[in-house]
Amino acid sequence: MAEENHKNGFLDETLSLVSGDAVTPAPAIIRNSGSRPKPSTHSDFDQLYLYSKPKKPGLKKRLVHTSKRCDLKESLISLFPITDWLYNYKWKSDTFSDLIAGATVAIMHIPHGIAYSMLAGVPPVVGIYMAFFPVLIYSLMGTSRHLSIGTFSVVCIMTSKAVLMYSEPEITLNNSNLTLMEVSMAENHTSLSPTQVAAAVCFVVGFWQVVMGVLKMGVLSVLLSETLVSGFTTGAAVHVITSQISKFFGIKLPRRTGPLKIIYVYYDLFLHISEANLVTVGISLATIVILTIWNEIIKPRIEKKLPIPIPIELFAVIVGTAVSYLAGFEEFYKVKTIGHVSTGLPLPEIPPLMLFPNLLVDGLVICLVAFSINMSMAKILARKAGNYFVVANQELLAGGCANLFGSLFGCVPTAASLSRSMIQLKVGGKTQLASFFSCLILLFVLLFVGPLFQPLPNCVLASIVVVALKGMIMQVKDLYNAWKHSHADALVWLGSFLGVVLLDIDYGLGLGVSLSLLTLVIRGQKPLLRVLGNVPGTQIYLDIKCYHSAVEIPGVRIIQIAGGLHFANMDYCQHKILSLMEGEKHDKIHNDSYNGSSPTSIETNTHPKPLCLVLDMVSVSFVDPSSVKGLLSLYKDIKAQGRILCLTNCSWTVYESFNKCGFFKDFPETNLFSSVNDAVLFISRHSVML
C-alpha cells in the first residue's frame, strides 16, 4: 500500500510538471485519464510525417546526371571566370575605377617586389616578374576581384630555405648529410643559380595546387585555423626580421640553416658587430624612423581625406636611390646596393627537373600556407565588397596555374598581400581588370625603369620590410586573446610560434597542425553531458546548472549529449551517464511553484536514485558501430536494474546508423521518441516504479 501511494505521488508530481498547466492539480489530471496527452514515439512521428530513408543514386544514375551537367559553356566559365564577368563588364562606370586601383597597386608592387625578392635570395627584378607573369594568369582564372597576387614575405622566406640549400656553388663531398642528388651535382661540378632553384620551388608549388584543385581538396584549408595562422605568421615575421639584420649593419654573416638558426644568427651578429658600417646603420635608422612616424602618426590623420593612399614605400625607394647616387654611398662609404637590374622580359625556361623530388615536401608546405593566406584574404575582401563569392577549388587551380606559368620565368611562389589587396578594394577597384592595368604599368617598369634602381642601398629595402611587418609582430596579442578563450587554442598559437622560431618554418607549421589535430581529438573524447530539468508549466527542458528555473522531474534523469559518439569516447560517456544516474549532487535554484519557495534561493538538491533515464540525442551528430554497442550495453545494464532507458530527438543520420548496426533488435523501438516531453509522458503513463 505504501509503495502504491509513493507511486501515485511520483506520477502526480511528474504530470503536474509536464502537462503545461501549473494551476491544475496533478490528481485531477490522473482522475481524468482521457485528458492526458498521448506520448508520440519515433515510429509514430515518422509515420505521421511520411518519413522515408534518403536514397543515394546508383553509379549509373550519377554518371548520367554528371554527363547532363557537363556543358562546354559552363565548363569554360567555371575554368576561366573572366569569360563571364568581362562579358557583363560596365565599361563606362568601372573602367576608371579599375585603372586607378591598378595604378595604385602597381606602384606598391615596385618596393614590395624589390624588397621581398631579397628575402627569397633572388635578384630584385624577380620581384617585379612575380607581379607581372603570375598575375596575368590569375586574372583570367581567379574568382576574387580584389586579391593582389605577387610577393609575400612569409612565402619568400620559406622559399629561401631551398634557395640556400641547392644554389650553393661549392659542395663539400665529405658532408655526410648530403643527398644523392647533391652528391651528383658536386661530382658533375654543376651548380644552380638562386633564380633556377626558386623557379623549381614555384613549379612544385603550382603542381601541388593544381592537383589539389582537380581533386576538390579546397576543404583542406580548414586545417590551418586562424589561431594557427596567427602564431605561424608571427614566428615567420621573426625569421624575416632576422634575415634582414645583417643588412641593417652592413656586415656579412655566415649562412645558417636548420633548427636554432635564429639563435646562431644573433650569436654571429654579436661576434661581428664591430665590423658594422656606421653609414649603413644611420641610413637604416633614418628610414625606419621616417616610415614609422608616417605610418603611426601622419597616415591615420590624412588617409581619410585622400582618395588615393600615398605610396610612402615607393618614395623611400626613390629618395634612397637618388641620395645614394648623388652621395656615392657605394663608392665612398662601402654601402651595399642592390646592384645590376636587368631590363626586358626573360625568355621562358623549364626549371631544373632534377630538383623536383627534393622539393615535394617543401612545396606542399608552401602550397598549404599560400592557399590558406589567399583564401582567408579573398573571403574577407568578398565579404567587404558584398557582391560576389569565392570558390576555393577554383582558387587552387588559378593559383596553381599562375605559379606554373611564373616558374617558366624564374618567379618565386606567389601569394596574396593583405595590404595591397585592401588598397585595391579601398581605392575603388571593381574587377580583375585592375590587375591587367597593374601589369601594363609594371611592363613599362621592366622594359625601361628597372636600371634606375641600381644605386638603391640594401638597408633601405630591409628597413621597408621590417616596418611592413609591424602588424604581424603585433599579432602576439592574439596569444592573450586565445588564452582567454581557450587554453588549447593558446597552446596551438604558442606551439606554432615557438616551432617556427626555434626549429624552422616548415617544422613549426607541422607542429602547429599536429597540435590543432590533437586538441580536436582530445575535445572529441569528452562530449558534453548536461542534466536537463523542466520549466514548470511548459514543455521546455533546460540545463539545470545554467537555467535555475528548470526543475528536475522526480524519478527521471534527463541527460543531453552534445557531440559525436565513437569508439574513443563511448567508455567515458557510459561511465559519466552511470555516475549521473546514481544521484550526483547538482547545485540548482529551487524554483518549485507548487510549494511557494523563493525562486532565487540556491540549494544543493540531491534526488534519490532515478527510476528512469532519458537520453536527449538532439546534439549527437553521428554514432559509429562501437558507440551503438555501448548504448546497447548501457540499455541492458539499466534494464537489469529494473529501470527504463528512453532515447529522444535522434537525427535521421543517427537513426539510420542504428538501423544498419541492428540496434533495434535488442532495443525496443517503442522507447525511441521524437521529443523529451514525449518520453516523460510515456514514463508517467506506464507508472514506472521500483
Side-chain angles (χ1 to χ4, degrees):
M1 188 67 180
E3 182 179 343
E4 185 67 24
N5 291 336
H6 185 70
K7 172 180 175 181
N8 290 336
F10 162 71
L11 287 173
D12 291 351
E13 189 170 359
T14 299
L15 288 174
S16 65
L17 289 172
V18 302
S19 63
D21 186 1
V23 178
T24 305
I29 298 177
I30 295 175
R31 288 191 297 270
N32 185 12
S33 59
S35 65
R36 298 184 196 175
K38 181 181 178 181
S40 172
T41 65
H42 193 87
S43 299
D44 297 334
F45 186 86
D46 290 347
Q47 186 176 4
L48 177 63
Y49 295 104
L50 305 178
Y51 171 81
S52 64
K53 178 182 177 182
K55 296 181 179 180
K56 294 183 179 179
L59 178 60
K60 182 178 179 180
K61 289 186 177 180
R62 289 202 299 265
L63 292 176
V64 171
H65 180 68
T66 303
S67 63
K68 289 182 179 179
R69 291 174 57 190
C70 289
D71 182 82
L72 181 61
K73 181 180 178 181
E74 292 183 0
S75 300
L76 184 63
I77 292 176
S78 176
L79 188 60
F80 296 98
I82 189 175
T83 57
D84 182 37
W85 64 260
L86 190 60
Y87 178 78
N88 301 308
Y89 188 74
K90 301 176 183 178
W91 292 96
K92 292 184 178 180
S93 60
D94 293 348
T95 304
F96 183 74
S97 299
D98 282 339
L99 178 61
I100 296 298
T104 306
V105 172
I107 291 172
M108 294 187 64
H109 267 300
I110 296 172
H112 284 191
I114 296 175
Y116 292 156
S117 60
M118 296 172 57
L119 299 178
V122 296
V125 72
V126 173
I128 310 298
Y129 294 159
M130 295 169 62
F132 180 75
F133 293 107
V135 174
L136 288 175
I137 303 300
Y138 181 82
S139 300
L140 298 174
M141 302 181 65
T143 58
S144 174
R145 301 176 186 177
H146 302 93
L147 208 61
S148 177
I149 296 294
T151 52
F152 184 68
S153 56
V154 175
V155 172
C156 288
I157 197 67
M158 293 178 72
T159 305
S160 68
K161 176 185 176 182
V163 172
L164 291 175
M165 183 177 297
Y166 299 115
S167 66
E168 178 65 43
E170 295 180 1
I171 300 178
T172 304
L173 292 177
N174 294 330
N175 189 344
S176 60
N177 294 325
L178 291 177
T179 64
L180 293 177
M181 190 278 299
E182 293 170 327
V183 173
S184 175
M185 288 173 55
E187 290 175 346
N188 295 325
H189 303 286
T190 61
S191 61
L192 298 172
S193 68
T195 303
Q196 288 177 307
V197 177
V201 177
C202 187
F203 188 93
V204 174
V205 172
F207 164 77
W208 279 119
Q209 288 176 323
V210 170
V211 169
M212 292 172 63
V214 171
L215 298 178
K216 309 291 185 183
M217 298 175 66
V219 70
L220 287 180
S221 62
V222 301
L223 290 177
L224 303 180
S225 65
E226 183 178 348
T227 303
L228 188 153
V229 172
S230 174
F232 172 78
T233 52
T234 305
V238 176
H239 270 272
V240 173
I241 293 174
T242 303
S243 69
Q244 301 301 297
I245 198 70
S246 62
K247 298 180 178 65
F248 292 154
F249 296 94
I251 58 180
K252 187 174 182 179
L253 299 177
R255 294 200 302 183
R256 297 284 190 176
T257 59
L260 302 179
K261 72 176 182 180
I262 287 183
I263 297 176
Y264 288 126
V265 167
Y266 286 103
Y267 174 75
D268 295 334
L269 177 66
F270 178 77
L271 294 179
H272 297 84
I273 193 66
S274 60
E275 304 172 11
N277 186 317
L278 296 181
V279 176
T280 301
V281 174
I283 297 172
S284 301
L285 291 176
T287 306
I288 292 175
V289 170
I290 292 173
L291 292 177
T292 303
I293 291 175
W294 175 269
N295 291 333
E296 301 299 324
I297 300 176
I298 302 176
K299 182 179 177 180
R301 298 183 179 181
I302 67 173
E303 66 177 352
K304 295 181 179 179
K305 302 178 182 179
L306 298 176
I308 300 176
I310 297 177
I312 187 64
E313 293 88 355
L314 182 62
F315 288 161
V317 169
I318 295 174
V319 172
T321 302
V323 173
S324 175
Y325 175 77
L326 296 174
F329 280 165
E330 185 175 18
E331 298 174 4
F332 301 109
Y333 302 103
K334 307 301 179 183
V335 175
K336 296 180 181 179
T337 60
I338 65 174
H340 174 71
V341 178
S342 59
T343 57
L345 299 178
L347 295 175
E349 178 184 352
I350 297 177
L353 298 177
M354 58 182 174
L355 280 179
F356 290 177
N358 297 67
L359 297 176
L360 286 176
V361 176
D362 291 337
L364 178 60
V365 174
I366 296 175
C367 164
L368 291 174
V369 172
F371 173 61
S372 176
I373 292 168
N374 290 355
M375 277 305 300
S376 59
M377 292 183 183
K379 288 179 180 179
I380 292 172
L381 296 169
R383 189 163 54 248
K384 287 182 177 293
N387 58 354
Y388 68 95
F389 297 97
V390 179
V391 183
N393 293 315
Q394 180 61 26
E395 285 297 303
L396 274 171
L397 289 174
C401 292
N403 280 321
L404 289 176
F405 184 69
S407 68
L408 301 178
F409 300 93
C411 291
V412 176
T414 57
S417 166
L418 179 59
S419 58
R420 295 194 304 265
S421 301
M422 290 300 295
I423 285 178
Q424 182 169 327
L425 175 67
K426 191 180 296 184
V427 299
K430 302 297 183 181
T431 66
Q432 293 92 322
L433 198 62
S435 298
F436 283 109
F437 289 133
S438 174
C439 289
L440 288 176
I441 296 173
L442 291 172
L443 179 62
F444 176 78
V445 173
L446 288 170
L447 293 178
F448 305 107
V449 182
L452 297 179
F453 295 109
Q454 291 179 175
L456 177 64
N458 287 335
C459 59
V460 172
L461 295 175
S463 301
I464 292 174
V465 170
V466 170
V467 174
L469 291 175
K470 182 245 182 183
M472 283 190 181
I473 294 297
M474 295 306 294
Q475 288 179 154
V476 71
K477 296 178 181 178
D478 293 343
L479 175 60
Y480 174 72
N481 295 331
W483 181 263
K484 289 195 302 182
H485 175 263
S486 168
H487 292 355
D489 288 343
L491 178 63
V492 171
W493 194 100
L494 192 61
S496 303
F497 174 78
L498 294 179
V500 170
V501 172
L502 298 180
L503 301 178
D504 212 339
I505 290 181
D506 49 357
Y507 294 125
L509 180 62
L511 179 60
V513 171
S514 300
L515 288 174
S516 294
L517 296 177
L518 182 62
T519 56
L520 287 178
V521 171
I522 293 175
R523 286 169 175 171
Q525 283 186 325
K526 290 188 176 182
L528 185 61
L529 275 70
R530 303 183 180 97
V531 176
L532 305 184
N534 176 255
V535 178
T538 71
Q539 296 181 6
I540 299 174
Y541 294 84
L542 302 174
D543 184 356
I544 63 173
K545 287 189 176 181
C546 299
Y547 296 90
H548 296 163
S549 63
V551 180
E552 281 199 81
I553 297 173
V556 181
R557 180 61 44 85
I558 306 170
I559 299 176
Q560 185 181 79
I561 305 175
L565 294 179
H566 49 78
F567 67 95
N569 62 23
M570 195 58 214
D571 287 342
Y572 166 81
C573 288
Q574 282 183 276
H575 175 75
K576 187 68 176 177
I577 291 171
L578 290 174
S579 66
L580 292 174
M581 277 290 289
E582 295 304 317
E584 282 189 338
K585 294 182 179 181
H586 300 283
D587 292 332
K588 59 189 292 296
I589 290 183
H590 184 67
N591 182 18
D592 188 350
S593 59
Y594 310 107
N595 58 24
S597 60
S598 172
T600 58
S601 61
I602 300 178
E603 70 171 9
T604 301
N605 185 12
T606 306
H607 288 298
K609 291 184 179 181
L611 309 174
C612 310
L613 173 64
V614 177
L615 293 183
D616 183 8
M617 308 281 283
V618 66
S619 298
V620 176
S621 54
F622 70 94
V623 293
D624 69 354
S626 297
S627 62
V628 172
K629 292 179 181 178
L631 288 174
L632 283 176
S633 175
L634 179 65
Y635 164 70
K636 292 175 182 178
D637 289 343
I638 293 176
K639 183 180 179 182
Q641 299 173 15
R643 306 179 186 184
I644 190 169
L645 171 64
C646 295
L647 301 183
T648 69
N649 290 319
C650 292
S651 65
W652 74 267
T653 54
V654 173
Y655 180 73
E656 292 302 333
S657 297
F658 283 157
N659 277 328
K660 290 179 182 179
C661 297
F663 180 72
F664 296 112
K665 292 180 180 179
D666 297 310
F667 184 87
E669 200 162 356
T670 54
N671 286 21
L672 183 65
F673 297 92
S674 57
S675 70
V676 173
N677 198 68
D678 285 321
V680 174
L681 289 173
F682 169 79
I683 293 169
S684 305
R685 193 179 185 90
H686 286 75
S687 307
V688 180
M689 185 71 187
L690 279 179

